[in-house]
Amino acid sequence: MISSEIQQVEKYYTMISEYLVKYSMQLVGALLILIFGLWVAQKISKMVAVLMARNNIDITLTNFVSNVVKVLLIIMFVIIALGKIGISVTPFVAAIGAASLGAGLALQGMLSNYGAGLAIIATRPFVVGDTIEVKNVSGQVKTIELGYTILINEEKVEITIPNKHIVGEILHNSFNYSLVKGEIDIAYNASAEHAIELIENVLKDHELVASEPLSQVGIERFADSGVTISYRYWVPTTKIIETKLAVNGGVYSAIQGADIEIPFPQRIVTINKHDLDS
């Protein structure tokens, strides 16, 4: 039994030795082709990325195209290297096809995310830096990947959304800015025009409040205790909270400084004396 195992080992050793003797130069050539291919793929992918960046193409699309070019070039040089050492790639292609079919059936959800990612990259309904809202989730786009998109909201919380939940849904895109709303009540005997002018000045003087779209200030409604002045303005999405707090403080100080009364909530109750006597 031991002698048969030794003979088996010698047989494999002889086969490997003959193969190395016969294909030694081919192996060296294949290795050089592979190394050269990796270098060429890296260089060309970088050139593609630089060229697309120079033409102001979206960073997500740039990264995707450069990576695809790199992978395709590497696959091409691997096929050439395998052919150099006498290995036919036809069985590998068939095996890859069968494996791809099985993986596609097993990973339908993941592949649907990738397909949606390709649709987002191709159609570009939004880009990195835009502020979007989808399925009641909103934030500024931080990263667009093939499988998912990462948003960051005003609380600096990252939100990861699978791309299949974005494509085909109703999408709100306010680009780099988000809308902020505020309101304050003034007494009925106060000048609404003066209050509106004061609030407009506060919004105009704040550096983070966008000049385009224009801020809007006006009478929102006639409440029980006073006139409600509403103001709407746009700010960078990542600066919502700090800007809102600063603007509200400025509005309150401006209204108080102008001696405009801010009424307390009040309710008038009428008591019928006849009901008390009875």
Side-chain angles (χ1 to χ4, degrees), residues 51 77 133 161 163 177 201:
L51 182 63
F77 278 100
E133 180 182 350
I161 306 177
N163 284 333
Y177 292 91
N201 291 334

Side-chain angles (χ1 to χ4, degrees), residues 71-118:
V71 171
L72 290 177
L73 287 173
I74 290 175
I75 292 174
M76 182 183 71
F77 278 100
V78 168
I79 293 174
I80 295 173
L82 290 175
K84 186 70 176 176
I85 58 177
I87 298 176
S88 175
V89 297
T90 304
F92 290 99
V93 173
I96 291 172
S100 299
L101 178 60
L105 295 175
L107 303 173
Q108 288 183 357
M110 185 180 297
L111 292 177
S112 64
N113 283 326
Y114 289 155
L118 289 173

Side-chain angles (χ1 to χ4, degrees), residues 56-249:
N56 297 322
I57 297 176
D58 178 54
I59 184 63
T60 305
L61 184 59
T62 298
N63 292 336
F64 173 73
V65 172
S66 63
N67 287 331
V68 168
V69 169
K70 183 178 179 180
V71 171
L72 290 177
L73 287 173
I74 290 175
I75 292 174
M76 182 183 71
F77 278 100
V78 168
I79 293 174
I80 295 173
L82 290 175
K84 186 70 176 176
I85 58 177
I87 298 176
S88 175
V89 297
T90 304
F92 290 99
V93 173
I96 291 172
S100 299
L101 178 60
L105 295 175
L107 303 173
Q108 288 183 357
M110 185 180 297
L111 292 177
S112 64
N113 283 326
Y114 289 155
L118 289 173
I120 291 172
I121 292 172
T123 59
R124 298 178 67 190
F126 56 86
V127 296
V128 173
D130 284 356
T131 299
I132 66 171
E133 180 182 350
V134 59
K135 285 196 167 183
N136 298 321
V137 176
S138 63
Q140 189 174 45
V141 179
K142 180 181 180 182
T143 307
I144 305 173
E145 302 290 348
L146 275 181
Y148 57 87
T149 297
I150 298 179
L151 309 181
I152 183 168
N153 62 15
E154 67 273 15
E155 298 174 351
K156 305 298 186 292
V157 176
E158 290 189 357
I159 305 168
T160 302
I161 306 177
N163 284 333
K164 67 180 180 180
H165 294 303
I166 298 177
V167 174
E169 298 291 335
I170 297 175
L171 182 70
H172 302 265
N173 188 349
S174 58
F175 301 99
N176 294 327
Y177 292 91
S178 291
L179 178 64
V180 180
K181 302 176 184 179
E183 59 183 37
I184 189 171
D185 285 353
I186 62 172
Y188 273 101
N189 59 0
S191 172
E193 291 79 7
H194 188 200
I196 291 172
E197 182 182 355
L198 292 173
I199 296 173
E200 286 176 341
N201 291 334
V202 171
L203 296 175
K204 189 182 301 181
D205 293 339
H206 199 286
E207 60 180 5
L208 291 178
V209 175
S211 57
E212 183 65 34
L214 291 174
S215 303
Q216 297 175 321
V217 186
I219 297 175
E220 178 73 19
R221 60 182 173 271
F222 300 98
D224 295 336
S225 304
V227 178
T228 301
I229 306 297
S230 174
Y231 46 96
R232 299 155 56 93
Y233 54 95
W234 296 83
V235 300
T237 300
T238 55
K239 302 289 185 180
I240 290 178
I241 294 179
E242 58 188 88
T243 307
K244 182 177 181 179
L245 296 178
V247 167
N248 286 346

